[in-house]
Amino acid sequence: MEDPALLLALGFCAGVLAGLFGVGGGLLFVPALVLVGDLSQVEAAATSLLAILPTVAAGTWRQWRYGNVRWRTALLLGIGAVLGVEAGVRLAQWLPEHELRRLFALLVFATAAQIAWRYRRPPSYAPSDDAPPR
């Protein structure tokens, strides 16, 4: 089932999240494509990788205009990511579908746990209780 309106809405939501939090949308795209789009886990991951290209281009362009892009850092991350994607695709093809879904769920829960863990502490830039008021 590929409902164009639903896919456009999913893409819009992922774009908002990408612009707001800097995520590529994979945490939203992959489960939605598996549950709603009736794709396999491997197909959803592959489709998500292609679908984030326009998001990446638009987000990078906008952030570049604000002066927020560190090109050297991005290049080094990109080189590592290309190598990692190759390894990940090979592993995804090798793993059974149910195991791949479990691993993805573990990634989503680990990400949520890390965010929750960090949120419980005040940010490092927050003034301490004994700091004089401004």
Side-chain angles (χ1 to χ4, degrees):
M1 172 183 104
E2 290 191 11
D3 179 3
L6 184 62
L7 293 174
L8 284 171
L10 176 62
F12 178 80
C13 290
V16 169
L17 291 174
L20 187 61
F21 299 117
V23 297
L27 288 177
L28 176 63
F29 278 150
V30 174
L33 289 171
V34 168
L35 296 172
V36 178
D38 201 29
L39 275 67
S40 73
Q41 187 73 25
V42 173
E43 291 171 331
T47 302
S48 174
L49 285 172
L50 180 58
I52 66 170
L53 287 177
T55 306
V56 168
T60 301
W61 179 72
R62 294 292 300 169
Q63 292 293 349
W64 170 73
R65 292 190 63 201
Y66 289 119
N68 295 332
V69 177
R70 294 189 177 190
W71 292 103
R72 183 176 187 276
T73 302
L75 178 63
L76 293 172
L77 282 172
I79 291 169
V82 167
L83 298 172
V85 163
E86 182 61 33
V89 167
R90 289 174 188 244
L91 187 59
Q93 292 294 331
W94 179 76
L95 286 170
E97 174 85 10
H98 69 279
E99 197 61 34
L100 193 57
R101 284 187 184 193
R102 283 188 187 137
L103 288 171
F104 186 81
L106 182 63
L107 171 68
V108 171
F109 284 121
T111 302
Q114 181 192 30
I115 292 169
W117 182 259
R118 286 184 170 188
Y119 182 73
R120 69 172 185 78
R121 298 180 299 184
S124 60
Y125 57 83
S128 64
D129 292 337
D130 58 344
R134 291 184 172 183

